[in-house]
């Protein structure tokens, strides 16, 4: 009998990063994946499931518009408890730092099912930033039997917190597995602004921003900077892939809709998003995943945050922390757009987060420890 591994996830980035693990588990002769989605996200999750051909075995469908952290926590915990009880998998895998991640780990722990944490050990050292993810990560660590750390730095954080070294494995980040697979897929942009700019060889800047700790004033400062950058040069086209959350999308619309060379695209499917990253000159983002992907593409990222749990990308030189101050963002972007040497120094292809085989390593460790 194959050992049954229940993967629980709920949001877009978790789905992207779990997809390679689902694929490798499917291929493994002694392991069997069972997929449960909380659906903390709906459309943004479904876009990823469709791309990777994943049909969840269980869908808790918990998302409600404008959900609070309490809504997500309670609905996921209530939905998962009977599922854990009924399915009794040999292991539960969770990924990253969302509320779905922490709640699924907690639920598995309550049911005495061992937990594997994919992307373990990321830390900023500040429990308010990112909010609430830094706490979700730390709480997930406390429940886990397997800590799949993407890098040696992440593993070192776990050792420093007295996690037994034989429970920590440096596997690389599965996002690199996903990116390398999707990067090779063919795609043509439909008629529209992206196709037009590509056809005329114009320079593109890609922007995403969604972090809770930036809602309000910081988000306004960020998109004011994006407006100023767009207006600074007519040959530039700025594409904003908005998050589905209306709190973010409404602010983007208010500030950027009057700007002719700024285009508001809505959440893009992962395949076109990867192609847009590849086609862009520069990326401005507060996303965690994008900081991990950009080094594989050699695209400079200005990170719209004050702290990061991904210092490896800064050390690799591809990523720079610029915060949310309007002047600072405009100055840093302008420098990269006008100073060829400064740009070339950042546009390096070398990914400290992985080599595209993280999911294989995770499956091998699970198979060994489950006696599969
Ligand atoms: C969540 C995660 C965050 C992760 C981000 C990735 C938590 C607390 N936050 O933040 O760590 O970086 O996902 O994007 O776990 N919405 C839709 N459709 C969707 C998705 C969202 O309409 O497909 C809207 C809904 O109104 C929803 C709101 O966005 O209530 C917020 O979603 P939520 O998952 O609570 O927070 P995110 O900001 O997406
Ligand atoms: N992404 C996407 N479409 C978009 C924006 C981002 O597919 O319109 C991908 C991106 O390449 C990365 C992931 O989604 O793999 C990041 O998700 P998000 O920024 O929502 O979350 P975070 O990484 O900050 O947790």
């Amino acid at each position: 009998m194959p050992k049954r591994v229940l993967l629980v996830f709920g949001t877009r980035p978790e789905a992207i990063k779990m997809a390679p693990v689902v694929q490798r588990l499917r291929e493994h002769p002694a392991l069997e994946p069972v997929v449960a989605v909380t659906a903390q996200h709906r459309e943004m999750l479904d876009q990823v499931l469709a791309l990777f051909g994943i049909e969840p075995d269980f869908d808790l469908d918990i998302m409600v518009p404008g959900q609070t952290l309490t809504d997500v926590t309670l609905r996921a915990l209530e939905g998962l408890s009977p599922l854990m009880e009924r399915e009794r998998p040999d292991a539960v895998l969770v990924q990253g730092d969302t509320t779905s991640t922490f709640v699924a780990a907690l639920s598995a722990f309550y049911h005495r099912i061992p937990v594997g944490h994919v992307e373990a050990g990321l830390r900023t050292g500040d429990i308010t930033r990112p909010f609430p993810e830094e706490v979700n990560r730390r709480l997930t660590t406390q429940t886990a039997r397997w800590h799949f750390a993407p890098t040696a730095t992440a593993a070192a954080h776990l050792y420093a917190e007295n996690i037994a070294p034989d429970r920590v494995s440096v596997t690389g980040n599965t996002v690199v597995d996903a990116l390398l697979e999707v990067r090779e897929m063919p795609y043509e942009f439909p008629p529209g602004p992206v196709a037009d700019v590509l056809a005329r060889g114009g320079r593109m800047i890609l922007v995403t921003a969604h972090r809770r700790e930036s809602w309000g004033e910081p988000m306004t400062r960020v998109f004011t900077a994006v407006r100023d950058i767009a207006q600074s040069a007519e040959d530039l086209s700025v594409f904003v892939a908005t998050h589905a959350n209306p709190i973010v999308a409404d602010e983007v619309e208010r500030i950027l809709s009057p700007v002719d060379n700024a285009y508001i695209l809505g959440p893009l499917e992962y395949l076109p998003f990867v192609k847009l990253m590849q086609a862009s000159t520069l990326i401005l983002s507060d996303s965690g995943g994008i900081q991990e992907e950009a080094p594989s593409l050699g695209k400079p990222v200005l990170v719209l945050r004050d702290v990061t749990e991904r210092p490896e990308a800064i050390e690799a030189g591809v990523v720079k922390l610029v915060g949310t101050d309007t002047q600072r963002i405009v100055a840093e972007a302008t420098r990269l757009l006008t100073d060829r040497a400064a740009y070339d120094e950042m546009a390096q292809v070398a990914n400290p987060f992985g080599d595209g085989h993280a999911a294989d390593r995770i499956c091998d460790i699970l198979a060994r420890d489950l006696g599969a």
Side-chain angles (χ1 to χ4, degrees), residues 24 53 56 75 84 93 108 119 125 160 204 210 214 226-227 268 272 286 288 299 326 355 360:
R24 296 293 89 75
R75 289 162 68 87
M84 298 278 177
L93 277 189
E119 198 184 86
M204 300 187 187
H210 70 83
S214 296
V226 172
R227 180 198 65 196
L268 289 184
D286 64 8
K299 297 296 171 182
T326 304
D355 60 0
D360 290 324

Side-chain angles (χ1 to χ4, degrees), residues 12-13 15-21 23-24 47-54 173-189 268-279 293 296-297 355-356:
R12 169 174 66 192
I16 291 169
K17 292 170 171 182
M18 282 297 224
V21 185
Q23 287 169 343
R24 296 293 89 75
Q47 288 176 339
V48 182
L49 296 175
L51 175 67
F52 289 100
I54 298 172
N173 197 311
T174 56
V175 76
V176 182
D177 306 23
L179 178 74
L180 296 185
E181 181 187 342
V182 171
R183 191 176 67 170
E184 300 310 317
M185 294 179 183
Y187 182 77
E188 211 167 296
F189 284 96
L268 289 184
E269 292 181 19
Y270 188 48
L271 175 55
F273 189 77
V274 168
K275 299 292 173 183
L276 195 50
M277 284 197 283
Q278 282 185 293
E293 292 167 334
S296 282
L297 304 173
D355 60 0

